[in-house]
Amino acid sequence: MEAFGGFFVDEKAARVENIFLEFLKRFKEADAAEPFYDIEMEAMRSRESTTMYVDFAHVMRFNDVLQKAISEEYLRFEPYLRNACKRFVMEQRAGENRAPIISDDSPNKDINIAFYNIPMLKRLRELGTAEIGKLTSVMGVVTRTSEVRPELLQGTFKCLDCGNVVKNVDQQFKYTEPIICVNATCQNRSRWALLRQDSKFTDWQRVRMQETSKEIPAGSLPRSLDVILRHEIVEKARAGDTVIFTGTVVAVPDVMALTSPGDRAECRREGPQRKNGSGVQEGVKGLKSLGVRDLSYRLAFVANSVQVADGRRDVDIRDRDIDGDGSERQKFTDEEEDEVVRMRNTPDFFNKIVDSICPTVFGHQEIKRALLLMLLGGVHKITHEGINLRGDINVCIVGDPSCAKSQFLKYTAGIVPRSVYTSGKSSSAAGLTATVAKEPETGEFCIEAGALMLADNGICCIDEFDKMDIKDQVAIHEAMEQQTISITKAGIQATLNARTSILAAANPTGGRYDKSKPLKYNVALPPAILSRFDLVYIMIDEPDENTDYHIAHHIVRVHQKKEEALSPAFSTAELKRYFAFAKSLKPQLSSEAKKVLVESYVALRRGDSTPGTRVAYRMTVRQLEAMIRLSEAIARSHLERIVLPAHVRLACKLLKTSIISVESSEIDLSDFQDTNVPADDPEQPGEPELVTLILNVKTLEDDEPADAGKKKLVITEEHFQRVTQALVMKLRQHEESVKKDGDGLAGMKQGDLIIWYVEQQNAQGAYSSTDEVKEEVKCIKAIIERLIQREGHLIVIDEGSAVADDGAAVRRGSEHRILAVNPNYVID
């Protein structure tokens, strides 16, 4: 170093600056006509940016000495590199009549440099004292961000004694004043005033970064590191993002370790004139007030560029939407669009994409389809009153143990850039939503993000959902529908965004799913939460020889050959690009789709109101909105910009195959069929057409030979319960009317009861042909026989025997029996 005029010149740094300026002027891509960084500067001008992004791979290709100097001693050369950028910009402006990127008279404007694409990506645990001053990249998850504050970079001070001005005083991680006034006659060391208009300020933000879960060694807790962001890269990293920071490690004094509670650490300069009586200067004092502790340092990371690691190949490092959700202005390269269109044009592509999701799990196509639609999601909308209508799809999987529920959750958490995986029992309400904590350095209260906030614009996977406490489940209500989290505590009143899809997995209450009971008796979840799930799927572990063979073969093959055993049509990277492209579409509802939506919802509500139906939960307007979201997600999966009626029908089918009507066990009525009954009276004149049909069914039955063998008659338990409830209610009403009138039989003829039920169903349009009526009559007769013989719900008051001419009793058909409800039977 040479000294002249009281300043030192770093010769090596000056050479590095000149070589770097030459690199900015001359570097070209392989087939480019003009220099690469001329184009970069035009991009800076169009964005009104003052940050020049430099690809470190370009530096490595241009000059090996330059890249070694920058990577080894970045902290030393950084001011010179920034100066080279400023010279490059000023020289370019001098030759053209264009608006300047920076003006000469603005002290706060400067050209900042941001490197990216560093070849060696360090782990957080590898950052030690050896890395201080070097240019490194580190990847981690952002857990907390501070507010953006101004930071004083270079101060201009005025001496309050002589009025002299000292310019460009660098700040050393704290407020730094000049040591002594430059005026020879003035010995001022302490009385200074900061001239704010002549000083250089910049935006400053502190970010807490934590290492990713894959990097944590066995038995260790995750480490954290403070990252300092300056200039235009503030607010680029959000809580929950997996981010690559490029910059350098610095050692800063750990002020918090010095101060005990209530004490304030101060540094005083003792004048040389103060001596003790013996004329000897005093030693170092003040350690007692600092708690007799040594000065300690801690590592911090000063970043110059932020890159969000979302799995895409070519991410433009400059484009990060600060306010929006990022999906609207996402840009795709031509290669990516061509690849997505090629995937779309693959024959039977929808089923191939479904099969490519979680390929290690065999079968479960319905659940994979639901996961695909959840990953794509519907379209977020805002009404003119400013109310948000959610577009995210929530899915709940209820199933027996060992049905691969957690596999689905882990896969989903891995394929989405912003995702959080948590377990129910170990999650509290504050941990899921947000907590108010005290900032250790400032002592102010701040909000620390929970799982749902960290998964904003992503997916939150909650395992063991049924094991959560009720008070913790209630905290999710607002996040699942309104997609916000409201906090009013410790003097902070805030509404935070939680625009996340929730994928929950739960076990049935008894350990295994009981198919004879509805969903609400199988799952310990309140109806308020169940109705917020768009799709609820049941996974039942039933023994089936063919299925068990295929599952066992698949699992053993995966264990034996690992990745070679799986051959999905599309890789995970292709799926990520397909999802990113599909989510950028905003499909609109067509008028035909709107009509089909209304009809489907009315039909589902009608089925919900039918007496005796055992629905999992009531069909509400939430399910109509779920159908709209599912239709939009299906349209996105087909890369359509308009929702078609076919998409709505598929969404309605999905909602039905989801557990809207609980899948119940079957009841065999073969033993109760009435096959051998004597011929009955001929039909009466003047009977209605439907009654005539029922009598004909009876006659046809009676004509069958006794040894014809019984046909198997099987119905669902839901059908059995519905018919039973209707018959019992009718008989009870008949009994009450007889009691009120005081005359007539207490019971009712079986034939009249069957005719009443069939007429009721026919009035609702339940039958489309006479064959269906015949089958229904057979079914009802078998149900009545079972209710009399096995269940005991009905009793026979009179067998309905007739007296022949010779005085002997002749047994007539069963429809002449008089039936009544068992007095001990209580309706649920």
Side-chain angles (χ1 to χ4, degrees):
M1 292 185 184
E2 293 180 359
F4 67 92
F7 291 97
F8 286 101
V9 176
D10 190 342
E11 287 184 354
K12 186 178 178 183
R15 284 208 307 274
V16 167
E17 179 182 332
N18 291 328
I19 297 172
F20 189 68
L21 180 61
E22 193 72 17
F23 158 75
L24 292 175
K25 289 179 180 177
R26 286 176 44 197
F27 180 81
K28 292 182 182 179
E29 289 279 16
D31 53 352
E34 54 181 312
F36 181 86
Y37 289 96
D38 284 358
I39 306 168
E40 168 68 26
M41 202 172 65
E42 292 302 317
M44 286 171 59
R45 181 178 277 112
S46 63
R47 289 189 176 87
E48 298 182 356
S49 167
T50 58
T51 303
M52 178 167 282
Y53 289 91
V54 178
D55 190 340
F56 200 71
H58 295 171
V59 182
M60 293 168 68
R61 279 157 51 192
F62 183 78
N63 190 319
D64 191 54
V65 176
L66 178 64
Q67 70 92 7
K68 190 172 182 183
I70 293 174
S71 59
E72 291 294 326
E73 295 182 273
Y74 173 73
L75 200 61
R76 172 184 172 188
F77 296 140
E78 186 201 14
Y80 296 89
L81 298 177
R82 282 210 311 265
N83 197 38
C85 289
K86 190 167 184 177
R87 283 169 59 191
F88 174 63
V89 170
M90 300 297 275
E91 286 176 19
Q92 291 290 107
R93 183 172 65 95
E96 301 174 14
N97 295 322
R98 290 195 181 180
I101 295 178
I102 57 169
S103 56
D104 301 328
D105 55 350
S106 173
N108 283 338
K109 284 283 186 179
D110 209 345
I111 296 293
N112 304 303
I113 188 167
F115 286 100
Y116 66 99
N117 215 357
I118 308 291
M120 283 294 290
L121 192 64
K122 293 275 185 183
R123 292 166 56 179
L124 199 144
R125 285 174 186 263
E126 295 171 355
L127 296 181
T129 52
E131 305 298 324
I132 291 178
K134 295 182 180 179
L135 183 67
T136 53
S137 284
V138 61
M139 187 167 74
V141 179
V142 177
T143 57
R144 184 197 291 180
T145 57
S146 74
E147 61 183 12
V148 178
R149 299 182 186 140
E151 183 191 20
L152 181 63
L153 285 181
Q154 290 179 335
T156 300
F157 293 90
K158 181 180 180 182
C159 175
L160 294 178
D161 288 351
C162 67
N164 200 24
V165 174
V166 181
K167 292 188 176 183
N168 298 338
V169 179
D170 283 327
Q171 305 297 298
Q172 306 289 330
F173 299 109
K174 63 180 187 298
Y175 184 64
T176 308
E177 294 179 339
I179 296 172
I180 191 168
C181 183
V182 292
N183 191 346
T185 60
C186 176
Q187 294 293 313
N188 175 34
R189 294 174 180 269
S190 58
R191 301 181 69 244
W192 298 97
L194 176 69
L195 301 177
R196 289 179 179 80
Q197 68 273 19
D198 296 328
S199 302
K200 186 185 289 186
F201 288 90
T202 187
D203 292 330
W204 176 93
Q205 186 183 30
R206 181 193 288 115
V207 170
R208 173 66 58 85
M209 177 183 65
Q210 193 179 75
E211 60 185 336
T212 56
S213 56
K214 296 173 187 172
E215 296 176 354
I216 304 172
S220 299
L221 291 172
R223 297 260 176 93
S224 295
L225 183 70
D226 278 346
V227 180
I228 306 299
L229 305 181
R230 289 188 178 129
H231 314 302
E232 292 182 343
I233 62 170
V234 294
E235 297 286 7
K236 288 285 182 78
R238 304 175 193 150
D241 281 341
T242 301
V243 174
I244 299 171
F245 291 107
T246 304
T248 182
V249 180
V250 293
V252 294
D254 193 358
V255 180
M256 290 305 296
L258 298 175
T259 57
S260 55
D263 283 353
R264 187 177 171 197
E266 294 180 350
C267 182
R268 290 195 305 274
R269 179 182 294 278
E270 298 291 346
Q273 69 276 12
R274 291 185 59 187
K275 297 182 180 179
N276 56 13
S278 61
V280 181
Q281 277 191 283
E282 293 181 357
V284 178
K285 293 204 315 184
L287 280 178
K288 185 177 179 184
S289 66
L290 292 176
V292 199
R293 273 174 286 186
D294 296 331
L295 183 65
S296 60
Y297 289 82
R298 61 187 172 89
L299 292 179
F301 194 85
V302 178
N304 60 43
S305 77
V306 175
Q307 190 172 4
V308 180
D310 64 351
R312 288 180 58 206
R313 281 180 301 196
D314 304 315
V315 181
D316 190 354
I317 192 170
R318 301 165 196 79
D319 281 348
R320 183 70 200 266
D321 188 11
I322 291 179
D323 300 319
D325 59 357
S327 62
E328 295 177 13
R329 286 193 264 176
Q330 234 173 357
K331 292 181 175 59
F332 297 89
T333 61
D334 294 338
E335 294 84 8
E336 285 180 327
E337 290 192 18
D338 293 343
E339 185 184 31
V340 168
V341 172
R342 178 186 60 77
M343 289 172 68
R344 169 67 183 86
N345 295 332
T346 309
D348 194 25
F349 90 103
F350 188 72
N351 289 328
K352 284 183 179 175
I353 285 187
V354 170
D355 290 334
S356 302
I357 289 177
C358 203
T360 52
V361 178
F362 179 81
H364 294 304
Q365 299 300 316
E366 293 293 330
I367 294 174
K368 289 184 179 181
R369 194 171 290 132
L371 290 182
L372 167 65
L373 298 182
M374 185 185 67
L375 289 166
L376 293 173
V379 180
H380 288 276
K381 305 178 189 73
I382 301 177
T383 62
H384 60 275
E385 295 99 351
I387 299 170
N388 285 305
L389 301 176
R390 79 175 160 101
D392 293 305
I393 295 170
N394 299 324
V395 179
C396 181
I397 304 173
V398 179
D400 295 340
S402 79
C403 277
K405 297 189 298 296
S406 298
Q407 286 276 94
F408 281 124
L409 267 64
K410 285 284 187 186
Y411 174 82
T412 309
I415 200 171
V416 180
R418 288 178 68 93
S419 62
V420 174
Y421 179 90
T422 180
S423 187
K425 197 63 183 172
S426 57
S427 302
S428 65
L432 280 172
T433 53
T435 181
V436 175
K438 188 172 273 192
E439 184 78 45
E441 295 185 4
T442 61
E444 298 174 357
F445 284 107
C446 66
I447 296 172
E448 196 153 340
L452 292 173
M453 271 184 68
L454 292 177
D456 192 20
N457 288 321
I459 291 178
C460 181
C461 302
I462 305 176
D463 209 351
E464 310 292 349
F465 194 61
D466 55 314
K467 313 289 191 305
M468 287 176 65
D469 294 333
I470 297 295
K471 64 177 186 293
D472 297 333
Q473 281 180 356
V474 171
I476 310 177
H477 279 215
E478 184 191 357
M480 286 181 73
E481 195 59 44
Q482 277 72 42
Q483 298 209 303
T484 55
I485 295 167
S486 300
I487 285 183
T488 310
K489 57 173 95 169
I492 290 179
Q493 186 169 0
T495 301
L496 313 165
N497 284 325
R499 297 159 294 188
T500 173
S501 299
I502 289 180
L503 175 61
N507 287 110
T509 45
R512 289 195 172 272
Y513 195 89
D514 186 357
K515 287 166 69 174
S516 64
K517 294 178 181 174
L519 178 73
K520 60 185 176 184
Y521 296 116
N522 273 293
V523 184
L525 293 176
I529 279 194
L530 268 182
S531 72
R532 282 171 162 82
F533 283 109
D534 300 317
L535 296 170
V536 181
Y537 277 100
I538 304 295
M539 301 172 80
I540 298 175
D541 184 18
E542 286 184 317
D544 179 84
E545 189 171 343
N546 191 27
T547 310
D548 292 346
Y549 173 79
H550 285 297
I551 290 174
H553 179 76
H554 178 80
I555 291 172
V556 172
R557 196 153 178 268
V558 168
H559 277 272
Q560 180 192 15
K561 298 187 176 180
K562 299 183 177 63
E563 284 85 6
E564 296 173 18
L566 309 170
S567 55
F570 305 117
S571 67
T572 306
E574 288 175 324
L575 283 180
K576 285 183 179 179
R577 287 192 283 278
Y578 192 87
F579 293 157
F581 184 82
K583 286 182 79 170
S584 65
L585 303 176
K586 301 273 187 291
Q588 302 284 328
L589 278 170
S590 63
S591 53
E592 297 89 357
K594 179 178 144 191
K595 190 177 174 184
V596 176
L597 264 171
V598 173
E599 290 171 357
S600 305
Y601 173 67
V602 172
L604 284 168
R605 282 285 284 186
R606 191 188 305 128
D608 194 16
S609 61
T610 308
T613 52
R614 293 150 56 82
V615 290
Y617 47 77
R618 298 298 302 269
M619 283 297 299
T620 61
V621 181
R622 278 194 180 133
Q623 274 62 53
L624 172 61
E625 291 189 331
M627 282 171 63
I628 296 171
R629 284 190 287 271
L630 291 170
S631 307
E632 290 168 347
I634 293 166
R636 275 181 167 176
S637 70
H638 289 83
L639 302 185
E640 301 277 0
R641 297 186 185 274
I642 294 174
V643 179
L644 303 174
H647 301 152
V648 177
R649 290 190 191 97
L650 183 54
C652 186
K653 183 185 166 193
L654 269 172
L655 206 59
K656 283 179 181 173
T657 53
S658 165
I659 198 67
I660 296 300
S661 297
V662 66
E663 183 187 338
S664 55
S665 54
E666 295 177 334
I667 293 176
D668 190 355
L669 297 174
S670 305
D671 297 339
F672 302 101
Q673 292 186 79
D674 193 8
T675 56
N676 191 15
V677 180
D680 194 24
D681 303 333
E683 93 182 57
Q684 302 294 320
E687 291 278 14
E689 187 182 344
L690 191 65
V691 178
T692 307
L693 179 62
I694 295 169
L695 292 172
N696 287 342
V697 173
K698 185 172 56 191
T699 311
L700 286 169
E701 275 186 3
D702 299 340
D703 290 342
E704 288 178 1
D707 57 348
K710 295 178 182 177
K711 275 187 177 180
K712 192 170 179 67
L713 181 60
V714 177
I715 63 168
T716 63
E717 185 167 342
E718 181 192 341
H719 186 194
F720 177 78
Q721 295 288 350
R722 189 170 68 240
V723 175
T724 302
Q725 193 170 355
L727 297 179
V728 169
M729 293 288 286
K730 176 63 179 173
L731 286 172
R732 281 274 164 90
Q733 288 172 2
H734 181 72
E735 283 179 24
E736 287 175 6
S737 63
V738 167
K739 280 182 187 175
K740 196 179 289 181
D741 299 342
D743 60 340
L745 280 170
M748 190 174 178
K749 273 190 182 181
Q750 179 174 323
D752 296 342
L753 191 61
I754 295 173
I755 289 169
W756 169 83
Y757 181 80
V758 174
E759 283 178 341
Q760 289 287 107
Q761 293 296 311
N762 190 50
Q764 295 178 10
Y767 310 122
S768 57
S769 66
T770 55
D771 293 335
E772 288 185 17
V773 179
K774 292 174 185 176
E775 287 298 319
E776 182 79 344
V777 171
K778 284 184 190 177
C779 225
I780 296 168
K781 291 174 81 171
I783 289 172
I784 291 173
E785 284 297 323
R786 180 181 169 116
L787 290 175
I788 295 169
Q789 296 179 26
R790 179 173 294 180
E791 309 290 348
H793 295 347
L794 303 182
I795 54 174
V796 180
I797 298 176
D798 184 8
E799 286 289 348
S801 301
V803 180
D805 295 337
D806 56 358
V810 178
R811 182 172 176 265
R812 299 164 73 186
S814 60
E815 67 279 353
H816 288 281
R817 292 189 300 195
I818 308 295
L819 302 179
V821 183
N822 191 328
N824 296 325
Y825 175 62
V826 179
I827 301 174
D828 292 338

